[in-house]
Amino acid sequence: MPADITWRSLLALGISGGLLPCPSALVLMLSAISLGRVGYGLILTVVFSFGLAATLTGIGLIFLYIGSAFGRTSFAESRIVKTLPVFSAFVVTIIGGAICYNSLG
């Protein structure tokens, strides 16, 4: 699987993550608009997006190298490691459900 991941795909991940509307970037831009500094807000938002793209690409590279290092060991074949993605998805779903429930009440 790690052989399918290329620099190009990681760069695409970073760019797409940087282009998505981020709540923090939206707050930054709305604050700049309310202060009458639209140009400054645009510059900060572009820099923020480039930083987000670089961070996502860097994290992808780190996981790629860590995954390839553990891929050669018996640790990667253990049952616990294989169930971690399912467990983490379950935890995120429970937390999301709790946040939704708290927002209704």
Side-chain angles (χ1 to χ4, degrees), residues 6-84:
T6 63
W7 282 90
R8 188 173 180 179
S9 64
L10 285 175
L11 186 62
L13 169 74
I15 291 172
S16 65
L19 291 176
L20 290 174
C22 176
S24 299
L26 183 62
V27 168
L28 179 108
M29 196 62 213
L30 290 175
S31 299
I33 291 170
S34 70
L35 294 172
R37 310 237 3 225
V38 177
Y40 186 63
L42 284 172
I43 291 170
L44 287 177
T45 303
V46 167
V47 171
F48 179 85
S49 296
F50 278 125
L52 181 60
T55 302
L56 288 174
T57 303
I59 290 172
L61 285 171
I62 289 169
F63 278 109
L64 179 65
Y65 289 126
I66 288 174
S68 65
F70 281 119
R72 295 183 218 113
T73 64
S74 62
F75 178 72
E77 297 298 321
S78 73
R79 191 175 200 176
I80 293 173
V81 171
K82 288 183 178 182
T83 58
L84 278 177

